[in-house]
Each structure stands twice: as structure tokens, then as C-alpha cells.
Amino acid sequence: KRLGQQKVYCPDGKALKEDRTYSADGVGTGKVFDCASGFVVYEGTVDRAMKPLGVEKRWQVLGDKQVPLSVISYSDSKAGELNGVSESYFKNIGVLESRTTFKDGKKDGDAENWAQFTDGTVKLKTKEKYSAGELIEGILYKRSGDWPDGSIATWEFYKGTGYDQKRLSLSFEDDYVSARSSGYFPVSPAEESLFKKLSSEDSSQKA
């Protein structure tokens, strides 16, 4: 049975590779180190079945720097269940690639994704909104030409799931906004006001 502090050393027998502390109920909290640099590459907590609890952080070593790889938020009481904001980073540069909010294991709130271009620049690619795991809104941003960062290409709204799902899609062209829907799409007063506002603006509108 694992209990108390446990250390694992690198092949040289001197540098620390792992440093973990286990409680009586089998929960272990600790860090993992990169043997070559000494940088921390993992920090987190697991239950006796090695399922994560709380916030798990991972890093990568790029040259002489420690840069983030991921920050994943799990439930403090239900091991392995996503809860809170989780982020991942591009492996080659350590810049944010995605950010998603979870609640009780389901996407709930905003989910954003960035794209990296050949010149090294990073721009927002998509932004979605969820409620209890159900996608209710999604934006695809323009990524070509001279459009300002955050210029919308399409903005889609969803109601329902599966075969009963309805979708309304707004496409932002050079000087107008077009709309199409899959079947009847019920519109609330707030949505109607938003659609009218968007229809009067150009495609450089930012969300």
C-alpha cells in the first residue's frame, strides 16, 4: 500500500524524477521532473485507481525554457470527471490552443480554439457555447486575407439535439449577411434583436 512520501530518481541517481505523497485513502499528490533540465513537467493529484482529481498541470521543455502544455480541471470529489476550465497549448510554442469550460463532466459555457499559421502567428479559429453538454451557439472566424483578427465568417445557432436539432446559420460576406436554416427555427425576442443588429453590420463584426 502506498503511504507517505515516495521519490524516484533519474538514471544518474542524483536528480529527482518523481516526488509524490500518498495519504491513507490512497490519494497521491506530486510532481514529475525532466531529468535533463530539472523542470517540472507534471503536477497533480490522483486517487488510488490513478484517476485525476482537482487541477492537473503539464509542461514541456523547449530548449532552456519550461512552457505550458495543458491545464485540466477535474472534480475534487469525482475522480476523472472534468469540471471547470481546461486549457491546452501548442506543443511547439507553448501558446494557448484551446480553452473549454466543463461542469459535471459536460461542456458548459464557452469553448474556444485557436489556429497556428505557417508564419507562426496564432488567431482565434472557433468559439462555441454549450449548456449541459448541448451545443447552442458556434462562431467560425475568418482566417484568410486581410480580415482583422476576430472577424466572423459564420455564426450558427442550435436548438435541440440529434434528429430534432434545428440550426440557423448566418454567413458574413464582404458587404452583407446571408441566413439559412434547417427547418423551422423558433426565434426568441432576444435572438431576433441580435439577428437584426448583425444584419445591419459588416463581416468585420467581432463577437
Side-chain angles (χ1 to χ4, degrees), residues 138-202:
I139 297 175
L140 174 65
Y141 293 92
K142 295 180 183 291
R143 292 183 291 155
S144 60
D146 298 324
W147 295 103
D149 193 18
S151 297
I152 301 171
T154 60
W155 195 337
E156 296 185 324
F157 300 82
Y158 301 84
K159 291 182 186 289
T161 58
Y163 291 110
D164 295 327
Q165 186 183 69
K166 306 298 182 185
R167 181 179 66 181
L168 175 64
S169 179
L170 303 178
S171 296
F172 290 76
E173 308 300 339
D174 289 349
D175 54 3
Y176 68 94
V177 179
S178 62
R180 67 180 186 276
S181 63
S182 58
Y184 171 68
F185 189 91
V187 178
S188 68
E191 289 172 332
E192 183 177 6
S193 176
L194 173 62
F195 298 157
K196 287 181 177 179
K197 178 177 182 294
L198 292 175
S199 296
S200 66
E201 297 177 350
D202 61 30

Side-chain angles (χ1 to χ4, degrees), residues 3-137:
L3 182 63
Q5 187 176 30
Q6 295 188 8
K7 295 183 178 182
V8 176
Y9 290 87
C10 296
D12 65 3
K14 298 178 180 180
L16 192 61
K17 182 176 179 62
E18 297 183 24
D19 187 0
R20 304 176 188 270
T21 301
Y22 294 89
S23 61
D25 58 2
V27 173
T29 299
K31 298 178 180 180
V32 175
F33 302 85
D34 175 64
C35 288
S37 64
F39 285 128
V40 176
V41 293
Y42 164 86
E43 181 178 338
T45 301
V46 296
D47 71 354
R48 64 172 59 252
M50 300 303 290
K51 292 183 178 181
L53 289 163
V55 178
E56 175 190 279
K57 297 180 180 180
R58 294 181 183 272
W59 293 266
Q60 56 186 320
V61 178
L62 295 178
D64 59 352
K65 296 181 180 179
Q66 176 204 48
V67 297
L69 189 59
S70 64
V71 179
I72 304 177
S73 298
Y74 294 95
S75 168
D76 290 325
S77 56
K78 295 183 179 180
E81 182 179 271
L82 292 167
N83 197 66
V85 178
S86 290
E87 299 176 338
S88 65
Y89 296 77
F90 287 103
K91 290 183 178 180
N92 58 335
I93 55 176
V95 174
L96 189 64
E97 182 177 13
S98 69
R99 180 192 291 123
T100 305
T101 304
F102 293 86
K103 182 179 180 180
D104 301 329
K106 297 179 180 180
K107 291 181 179 180
D108 193 275
D110 291 337
E112 299 170 293
N113 290 276
W114 284 261
Q116 183 185 6
F117 294 84
T118 55
D119 64 358
T121 60
V122 174
K123 289 186 177 182
L124 186 61
K125 178 182 177 181
T126 62
K127 183 177 182 179
E128 298 174 327
K129 185 174 292 185
Y130 290 83
S131 177
E134 181 180 325
L135 177 62
I136 57 176
E137 190 176 319

